[in-house]
Amino acid sequence: GIQVEQSPPDLILQEGANSTLRCNFSDSVNNLQWFHQNPWGQLINLFYIPSGTKQNGRLSATTVATERYSLLYISSSQTTDSGVYFCAVVPGANSKLTFGKGITLSVRP
Amino acid sequence: NAGVMQNPRHLVRRRGQEARLRCSPMKGHSHVYWYRQLPEEGLKFMVYLQKENIIDESGMPKERFSAEFPKEGPSILRIQQVVRGDSAAYFCASSPRDSNEKLFFGSGTQLSVL
């Protein structure tokens, strides 16, 4: 099946810093989504981004489908950004959403 | 517009008992997905259902686990004769049509097997 690799596995930031989270995938995809799992376990859908660039406030994401990677940018990080960030992809029609192992982000005040 | 609703939020069972986890998708969504998350791991796909149909159950253990999404009512993930290794967070997600759309997740059910 498709492989989804996220890096770095862990990230510690000082409040106010910027960061880039990376997701590499091993095959072409129809669908790519970024999720944030907060410390209470809730999963929030951040972006649906099979290709191109999107922005939502301090967050933005870019997917370069031809090169099989996606980037999530967090600017001016806040402590509430802490949690685990997952990249998930769908390789074909009616295929399941396959998750990477996640990136654990800790933002310190 | 309520989101994906899962209940119970926490479920404690003794070994050998049955666990029933419920998921009501978002209004207008006819596709439901179940995922399992072990501590400090990513989410592992279990099963994908439409109303009255199982589309993909490739992630479901062959024994003791079953899932349904009836015409009326919530989707149910059923685990018979639970063992300690079943302890995990079980998440349900829904989408309007198929897996190529944005998925919305519920808050999960934390199953603890004593």
Side-chain angles (χ1 to χ4, degrees), chain A residues 12-18 76-78 106-109:
Chain A
I12 299 174
L13 298 176
Q14 206 65 35
E15 197 169 26
N18 303 327
S76 304
S77 58
Q78 300 177 358
S106 298
V107 181
R108 296 180 173 171

Side-chain angles (χ1 to χ4, degrees), chain B:
Chain B
N1 186 11
V4 179
M5 304 300 292
Q6 288 189 250
N7 66 82
R9 189 77 174 88
H10 301 276
L11 182 60
V12 179
R13 285 288 179 265
R14 296 190 180 279
R15 282 179 296 171
Q17 291 184 320
E18 178 179 288
R20 283 186 177 237
L21 288 62
R22 293 174 183 78
C23 169
S24 295
M26 287 182 69
K27 187 177 180 181
H29 288 195
S30 59
H31 295 240
V32 164
Y33 314 79
W34 286 93
Y35 284 80
R36 176 164 63 177
Q37 185 178 32
L38 295 171
E40 299 186 10
E41 290 190 12
L43 283 81
K44 301 295 185 185
F45 169 80
M46 298 183 74
V47 62
Y48 165 26
L49 311 103
Q50 292 180 32
K51 287 282 188 181
E52 300 183 279
N53 286 307
I54 297 175
I55 306 301
D56 181 349
E57 56 181 347
S58 59
M60 286 271 276
K62 298 298 181 201
E63 297 179 353
R64 301 188 298 108
F65 285 73
S66 63
E68 62 176 5
F69 188 17
K71 187 176 180 181
E72 302 291 337
S75 175
I76 305 289
L77 179 66
R78 181 184 179 201
I79 310 172
Q80 295 178 289
Q81 300 176 330
V82 295
V83 301
R84 287 204 174 130
D86 297 332
S87 296
Y90 292 83
F91 287 92
C92 168
S94 73
S95 66
R97 285 183 289 276
D98 60 31
S99 59
N100 283 317
E101 298 196 332
K102 194 172 182 179
L103 257 63
F104 295 86
F105 278 82
S107 297
T109 293
Q110 181 64 52
L111 173 64
S112 298
V113 179
L114 304 179

